[in-house]
Amino acid sequence: MDDNDIFEMDSDNEDFVDSKLGMIQEEVVYPQEFLPTYHSIKEGATVKKANLVEYNNKPDSLFFDDGVRSIDFILVYEDEDKEFERRHTFQRRKKRREYFEGCLMKMGLELEATPSVHNDNLIYVKVHVPWDVQCTYAEVLHIKVPIEINVNSSRPSMWNVFNCITKYFKPSEELIKNETDFFTAPFEKERQDCFQIVKKDQFFTPSMRSRMAYYILCRAPYEIRGNIKKFGITKLLGGGVYKAAYPPHDCRFNVRSTDESCPNERFLLYNEWAHPKNFYKIQPLDLIRKYYGEKIGIYFAWLGFYTGMLAIAAVVGLGCFIYGYQIQETSTWSKEVCDPNIGGKIVMCPQCDLCNYWILNSTCDTSKKLIIFDNFGTLVFAVFMSVWVTVFLEFWKRYQAELEYEWDTVEFLEQEEPPRPEYEAKCIYERINSVTGVKEKVPFSFCGRCFRLSIGIGTVLFWIMLILVSIVAIIVYRLAVFFSLSIKLKNPSNHTTLEPIKEYVTPQMATSVTAGLISFVVIMILNMLYERVAIWITDFELPRTRTDYENSLTLKMFLFQFVNYYSSCFYIAFVKGKIVGHPGQPVYLLGKYRNEECDPGGCLIELTTQLAIIMGGKAIWNNIQEVLLPWVKNLIFRYCTRSTPEKVEPPRWEQDFELQPFTKLGLFYEYLEMVIQFGFVTLFVASFPLAPVLALMNNLFEIRVDAWKITTQFRRVVPEKAQDIGAWQPILQGIAILAVATNAMIIAFTSDMIPRLVYYWSFSVYEGHTNHSMSGFINSSLSFFNTSDFSDSTISDEIERPRNITICRYRDFRFPPGHPREYQHNMQYWHVIAAKMAFIIVVEHIAYLTKFILSYVIPDVPYTIKEQIKREKYLTQVILHETTLKLVTKRLKPVVEEMSSHMEANKENELELSEY
């Protein structure tokens, strides 16, 4: 490879002139260890073309026309020779494609082209990775392969005694057999005799060969202009040179293959995993990992583990809900609100400038509903969830460590991960590697990197500010709608009809529901826009490796989604109704809009409504999207691409082309959906104990929907290696830490639990009760206001208020009119504030201490796994050493024999000479 060659990802502009290309002075060279078989064809040289063969009418075949060489990857392009428009563009594409395929064959791959059965314009190029190339790139990619059977792998489990029950929840062992456990080691081409090679064509699995093929495709050049070389299948797909590139499925998902050599893994996955009838079964994770790769496998392992742990939280949350439902009719607080002699005689002050007086017992139904969620059971459940989230994360780490050991990814991150082609294409600066001390190429200087990061951070902050602006707009909407509904739903002409006309509709409830729906729509729209922006920013930052790229994008997307999804909930929980003043001196937003007050029953019921709308709406929308969209798109795509009537059954690769492509960010959105749900389940669970129940129901459906979608509606995913769930792990830990604080603050500041406890233990005795009692709490929690003290700004000519009402009540702890400190906070207020702060501090410290103790007591890696890893390393070294000695002995044996025979001949010659 010439050191003066310049590598460049293709420009989106097809007519990028040579004069502009000549302005680029970068020098980029592929490291030999990353692409050892690299070859390019000199400009103007003859390019070798792939053989064109006709379809052999074997729809289940996964081999070339000779029936020997396996198909490891498929490239699809449109035959431009049959088109007459845009000839210049088509000729450019054809030239690039032929050069690209010629370079692939020069680099050791074997290609064979076959025309489409259903569309005369489509050509399918089958890619085969020969054995020698497999050995080369297995070493480059650090692929671990068997060296010896592990006879000590299986240990009896204490759960085997329940096998008679658990066997009904497992996939059929007759169909999906347990794999043989081997000691493994990274493949080395020079030490092939060390590995368990029985049949060369079956030694590397199809997913491994697909990884190798895709690795080469991403780095093969497709155009030379002077000393500039453009490369990468990704840009060829984006530029329309190829229509698709994917590894083939091994069979149809609902029909077994007629080919005896086909393992039918896709068919097994559908029947034992993706089919809805298997919703109660354990997932066949080993087969998922084998067919789709570790990255897909670790996602479904995490989703299954999370769903299993949700079952525990859902049972406790459902019990808490049932408890609240049972006590709603017997609660002293709700009884007083609904009592005609108590709540029916309490006239409440207007909650806005255009509102009228209202009677407290108009909120009777709301008060009963609030008791379902705002009770002592909710407090216990919130504490339980703070422990649950810690146990979940710690036990997931242990389970993840077991999967790392079983799937041979323990040392994955310790290996050198190759840089992305997009990164390599921009490398123009030199620097000294801090680890190796060797010069290496980087795409930007220190100042350039700071500039790119600054642009990224600034863009993310701008979009977060955009969300905050939308929240302010929704707040203004809430105020406007509340004013309007307060006028329309109340009749000021009669004191007895100061209630809402409809029994179950209050201005506060109607405003909360409509604002929640609008908030949900705004969230979804901003999501679609920001996804494009986040991808663009991450591409601009140019992370070095695929892992760095995904972690950077994950952080950007989650920060945005966190603010987008949770901001309205944080507003209702901690801002709304907290700074409202009192009826005579209300607080105004921007000097014009009166600050919004909570529902008469409190802000907790509004927070519950908001959570139910967002969680339910998001789950329904996502599942409809995931089920219907791929299916409809596939139907439309088949209709548009099939230009000839179906006479013969198309081959396997053509059936796969009619499926949807699985994008590189497809799995990212699945993680994002679940982590956002995890936030709703943990951050605000004190206001909505049914959140784990809804999440559990959704996830049971989600697992099978994702499985069905990836197995039946999408092309086969290019397998990728992964050790863990990546950047999502620290995000989950951050949510778990924040959840303790948010739930403590919800109980303290959003619910009425602390004021009730303060009244029960302190003030109930002072109000004439002989024992601690909740009787009289409603009267104690409402302050008095003289209607003659209304300021001119709070009186509107648009509404006429009854003149015979001299005293009204409002939710607060203030001195009554006529008191020397009228309308100032009284002693009970400061008692409640002190109790709230003490509650937050005590609960947080207890919860964090419990989390710390659990994290310390529960090790991240089980002791047995640690021992097995150490033993496997030791035995692997011994096996490799012994195999190497045998190999050296075997190779030296002829040399030793030759030397010994030569020495014997010399001795005989010496004896003959001595006789003379």
Side-chain angles (χ1 to χ4, degrees):
M1 189 185 316
D2 188 359
D3 288 348
N4 295 321
D5 290 344
I6 299 173
F7 288 84
E8 182 185 90
M9 297 301 287
D10 186 24
S11 172
D12 293 333
N13 185 2
E14 292 277 359
D15 298 318
F16 200 52
V17 296
D18 293 336
S19 60
K20 290 186 178 180
L21 287 171
M23 296 172 60
I24 303 175
Q25 302 296 328
E26 297 93 323
E27 180 182 315
V28 181
V29 178
Y30 263 125
Q32 186 67 20
E33 64 270 20
F34 291 147
L35 204 66
T37 64
Y38 177 83
H39 284 90
S40 62
I41 301 173
K42 293 183 179 180
E43 189 175 5
T46 303
V47 177
K48 184 180 178 181
K49 297 183 179 180
N51 294 330
L52 183 65
V53 298
E54 293 297 324
Y55 173 47
N56 57 10
N57 292 322
K58 295 180 179 179
D60 290 332
S61 176
L62 292 174
F63 295 91
F64 277 28
D65 195 54
D66 56 17
V68 176
R69 292 172 293 173
S70 62
I71 301 174
D72 301 317
F73 221 87
I74 297 293
L75 303 176
V76 186
Y77 68 88
E78 193 169 4
D79 189 1
E80 294 88 0
D81 291 338
K82 299 176 182 179
E83 299 286 344
F84 296 98
E85 299 178 358
R86 301 177 62 192
R87 292 184 180 179
H88 175 72
T89 301
F90 287 154
Q91 286 298 322
R92 177 187 289 268
R93 291 178 179 176
K94 181 178 180 180
K95 183 179 179 181
R96 288 180 171 181
R97 183 178 63 252
E98 290 178 350
Y99 184 89
F100 180 71
E101 293 175 4
C103 289
L104 290 178
M105 289 185 279
K106 196 86 173 175
M107 295 168 69
L109 299 183
E110 297 177 2
L111 308 181
E112 183 180 84
T114 301
S116 170
V117 174
H118 290 152
N119 191 328
D120 295 335
N121 293 333
L122 293 180
I123 302 294
Y124 295 87
V125 180
K126 295 167 280 187
V127 181
H128 171 69
V129 185
W131 171 252
D132 189 60
V133 179
Q134 290 179 33
C135 295
T136 300
Y137 284 95
E139 190 169 354
V140 171
L141 296 174
H142 301 276
I143 294 177
K144 285 189 172 184
V145 289
I147 55 176
E148 188 173 298
I149 295 177
N150 184 2
V151 295
N152 299 321
S153 62
S154 59
R155 295 186 177 184
S157 173
M158 60 178 291
W159 302 107
N160 287 343
V161 294
F162 300 103
N163 192 49
C164 58
I165 300 175
T166 58
K167 67 180 181 180
Y168 297 106
F169 298 92
K170 296 179 180 178
S172 174
E173 295 183 359
E174 296 179 358
L175 298 175
I176 302 178
K177 298 179 181 179
N178 294 328
E179 296 182 4
T180 306
D181 191 16
F182 288 92
F183 290 116
T184 60
F187 185 82
E188 295 181 29
K189 190 174 182 180
E190 299 300 325
R191 304 171 72 178
Q192 294 186 30
D193 294 337
C194 299
F195 302 98
Q196 298 278 321
I197 303 177
V198 179
K199 294 182 179 180
K200 290 184 178 180
D201 58 341
Q202 297 179 1
F203 180 65
F204 295 107
T205 64
S207 61
M208 293 177 182
R209 298 197 300 268
S210 298
R211 278 184 63 201
M212 300 173 196
Y214 188 69
Y215 183 87
I216 298 171
L217 290 171
C218 287
R219 289 159 175 79
Y222 62 82
E223 187 176 46
I224 293 180
R225 293 189 182 184
N227 65 333
I228 297 176
K229 296 179 181 179
K230 300 181 179 182
F231 63 94
I233 186 64
T234 305
K235 282 296 180 181
L236 290 177
L237 291 169
V241 178
Y242 288 100
K243 297 182 73 67
Y246 53 89
H249 280 296
D250 64 350
C251 65
R252 296 172 66 181
F253 70 88
N254 55 353
V255 179
R256 281 185 176 273
S257 174
T258 56
D259 190 344
E260 295 180 358
S261 62
C262 178
N264 290 293
E265 292 175 347
R266 186 189 184 196
F267 174 79
L268 294 176
L269 283 172
Y270 176 73
N271 280 278
E272 296 296 320
W273 175 50
H275 197 284
K277 68 180 181 181
N278 302 310
F279 75 94
Y280 63 92
K281 286 188 177 182
I282 300 172
Q283 302 181 88
L285 294 176
D286 289 335
L287 185 58
I288 297 171
R289 170 249 181 174
K290 181 182 178 183
Y291 192 74
Y292 290 114
E294 287 78 6
K295 194 169 187 178
I296 297 290
I298 201 73
Y299 164 72
F300 280 104
W302 177 81
L303 181 56
F305 186 84
Y306 169 51
T307 303
M309 290 294 291
L310 269 178
I312 302 173
V315 170
V316 180
L318 186 61
C320 177
F321 174 80
I322 293 173
Y323 168 76
Y325 186 82
Q326 293 292 330
I327 66 170
Q328 65 173 332
E329 298 292 342
T330 59
S331 170
T332 305
W333 180 61
S334 62
K335 279 183 177 180
E336 291 186 349
V337 172
C338 298
D339 191 339
N341 296 321
I342 301 177
K345 294 183 178 180
I346 296 178
V347 179
M348 301 296 294
C349 298
Q351 290 189 304
C352 65
D353 295 341
L354 297 178
C355 301
N356 215 320
Y357 302 108
W358 51 284
I359 304 301
L360 180 62
N361 69 353
S362 65
T363 62
C364 177
D365 292 325
T366 305
S367 301
K368 290 180 180 179
K369 293 174 185 176
L370 181 62
I371 289 296
I372 299 176
F373 303 102
D374 190 5
N375 55 70
F376 295 111
T378 304
L379 172 60
V380 175
F381 184 59
V383 175
F384 166 80
M385 286 300 293
S386 66
V387 177
W388 174 88
V389 71
T390 303
V391 173
F392 161 66
L393 292 175
E394 293 303 318
F395 275 94
W396 162 246
K397 292 178 186 176
R398 292 170 62 86
Y399 184 52
Q400 185 173 257
E402 294 178 10
L403 293 177
E404 289 175 15
Y405 170 72
E406 294 176 5
W407 293 354
D408 291 323
T409 60
V410 174
E411 298 178 353
F412 170 66
L413 293 180
E414 297 176 8
Q415 302 163 2
E416 182 65 28
E417 185 178 1
R420 298 186 308 127
E422 295 84 354
Y423 178 90
E424 294 169 320
K426 301 295 183 181
C427 290
I428 58 175
Y429 298 99
E430 282 190 353
R431 74 171 184 184
I432 304 298
N433 190 299
S434 58
V435 178
T436 62
V438 180
K439 285 185 178 181
E440 65 178 3
K441 296 282 187 178
V442 293
F444 34 66
S445 62
F446 177 77
C447 293
R449 179 172 177 79
C450 292
F451 172 75
R452 289 170 180 262
L453 291 176
S454 300
I455 293 294
I457 294 172
T459 307
V460 173
L461 291 177
F462 168 78
W463 277 85
I464 290 177
M465 293 300 296
L466 190 63
I467 298 173
L468 298 179
V469 170
S470 69
I471 293 171
V472 173
I474 291 175
I475 293 174
V476 174
Y477 163 82
R478 295 173 71 107
L479 294 173
V481 171
F482 179 76
F483 294 159
S484 176
L485 292 178
S486 296
I487 296 174
K488 292 181 179 180
L489 295 180
K490 295 191 177 186
N491 182 4
S493 61
N494 192 341
H495 178 70
T496 60
T497 58
L498 293 176
E499 329 295 333
I501 296 175
K502 297 183 180 179
E503 182 180 0
Y504 297 103
V505 178
T506 64
Q508 295 85 357
M509 182 59 67
T511 302
S512 298
V513 172
T514 56
L517 292 173
I518 293 175
S519 177
F520 171 72
V521 173
V522 171
I523 284 172
M524 301 308 295
I525 293 174
L526 290 177
N527 277 349
M528 291 188 290
L529 295 176
Y530 182 73
E531 283 173 8
R532 299 171 182 262
V533 175
I535 294 172
W536 177 83
I537 296 171
T538 310
D539 289 338
F540 178 73
E541 290 178 356
L542 210 62
R544 182 177 184 273
T545 65
R546 184 67 190 169
T547 301
D548 294 338
Y549 181 91
E550 291 179 352
N551 290 344
S552 177
L553 181 61
T554 297
L555 184 60
K556 291 182 183 63
M557 286 295 292
F558 181 76
L559 286 175
F560 177 83
Q561 300 282 9
F562 183 90
V563 178
N564 198 10
Y565 276 108
Y566 302 140
S567 55
S568 59
C569 295
F570 274 101
Y571 165 75
I572 294 173
F574 307 121
V575 178
K576 183 181 178 183
K578 303 300 183 292
I579 309 174
V580 295
H582 60 83
Q585 192 176 356
V587 177
Y588 287 87
L589 178 66
L590 303 176
K592 182 178 180 181
Y593 300 102
R594 180 170 171 175
N595 274 8
E596 193 177 10
E597 294 189 26
C598 291
D599 186 275
C603 279
L604 191 70
I605 194 66
E606 292 189 47
L607 180 59
T608 303
T609 304
Q610 183 80 359
L611 284 170
I613 290 174
I614 294 180
M615 277 194 72
K618 184 174 179 295
I620 294 171
W621 173 255
N622 286 337
N623 285 318
I624 290 175
Q625 246 186 342
E626 292 181 5
V627 173
L628 290 183
L629 282 185
W631 182 70
V632 172
K633 285 181 179 179
N634 285 337
L635 285 179
I636 297 173
F637 187 75
R638 290 192 197 102
Y639 177 79
C640 295
T641 55
R642 293 185 178 182
S643 59
T644 59
E646 296 186 30
K647 297 179 181 179
V648 295
E649 185 178 354
R652 171 79 269 129
W653 54 84
E654 190 161 350
Q655 295 176 37
D656 290 348
F657 176 66
E658 295 174 348
L659 300 176
Q660 287 296 300
F662 192 87
T663 62
K664 292 182 179 180
L665 298 178
L667 202 60
F668 167 81
Y669 296 125
E670 302 295 343
Y671 271 118
L672 183 63
E673 178 187 351
M674 289 297 102
V675 172
I676 293 295
Q677 181 203 87
F678 179 81
F680 282 122
V681 168
T682 54
L683 291 174
F684 307 101
V685 74
S687 65
F688 192 37
L690 287 179
V693 179
L694 295 181
L696 176 63
M697 295 169 61
N698 175 76
N699 287 8
L700 290 174
F701 190 67
E702 180 77 20
I703 291 176
R704 304 305 159 181
V705 167
D706 287 348
W708 173 83
K709 180 178 64 176
I710 197 174
T711 305
T712 66
Q713 302 301 311
F714 282 87
R715 298 168 191 160
R716 190 170 182 176
V717 184
V718 178
E720 291 185 57
K721 203 83 171 175
Q723 186 184 33
D724 49 34
I725 60 175
W728 298 111
Q729 184 75 30
I731 288 175
L732 292 173
Q733 292 173 338
I735 292 175
I737 293 173
L738 182 61
V740 175
T742 55
N743 283 297
M745 293 176 68
I746 286 173
I747 293 174
F749 293 111
T750 310
S751 78
D752 279 335
M753 189 166 300
I754 301 301
R756 288 181 216 159
L757 290 173
V758 171
Y759 176 81
Y760 180 83
W761 292 105
S762 299
F763 290 89
S764 63
V765 179
Y766 298 121
E767 294 192 5
H769 299 286
T770 55
N771 296 318
H772 297 290
S773 173
M774 283 300 298
S775 298
F777 170 72
I778 291 298
N779 187 63
S780 175
S781 64
L782 298 176
S783 299
F784 292 87
F785 180 78
N786 193 329
T787 57
S788 62
D789 293 333
F790 277 120
S791 62
D792 295 337
S793 61
T794 61
I795 300 174
S796 175
D797 296 334
E798 298 180 19
I799 186 168
E800 183 180 352
R801 293 171 179 167
R803 300 181 181 277
N804 59 339
I805 297 177
T806 57
I807 296 293
C808 64
R809 309 289 292 273
Y810 61 98
R811 286 171 56 88
D812 209 341
F813 299 102
R814 294 177 183 268
F815 289 110
H819 193 278
R821 299 174 60 189
E822 67 175 2
Y823 304 138
Q824 296 184 23
H825 289 120
N826 57 24
M827 188 58 65
Q828 188 173 353
Y829 170 83
W830 297 111
H831 274 77
V832 170
I833 289 295
K836 289 181 176 181
M837 299 305 297
F839 173 83
I840 292 174
I841 293 172
V842 171
V843 169
E844 283 188 354
H845 279 69
I846 292 176
Y848 287 135
L849 179 63
T850 305
K851 289 171 67 69
F852 173 78
I853 294 173
L854 289 174
S855 301
Y856 180 79
V857 170
I858 304 174
D860 292 346
V861 182
Y863 176 78
T864 55
I865 296 297
K866 287 182 180 179
E867 294 299 311
Q868 290 177 18
I869 292 173
K870 291 178 182 178
R871 177 168 175 76
E872 180 167 332
K873 282 185 177 180
Y874 169 73
L875 292 176
T876 300
Q877 292 174 356
V878 171
I879 293 168
L880 289 175
H881 181 66
E882 291 178 350
T883 307
T884 304
L885 287 178
K886 291 178 182 178
L887 182 61
V888 171
T889 304
K890 181 179 179 181
R891 291 180 177 178
L892 290 179
K893 187 176 181 180
V895 179
V896 172
E897 291 178 353
E898 184 180 351
M899 291 180 62
S900 60
S901 61
H902 183 69
M903 292 176 64
E904 290 178 0
N906 288 339
K907 287 182 180 180
E908 292 177 359
N909 292 335
E910 290 177 358
L911 289 173
E912 291 177 359
L913 291 173
S914 62
E915 290 178 357
Y916 290 107

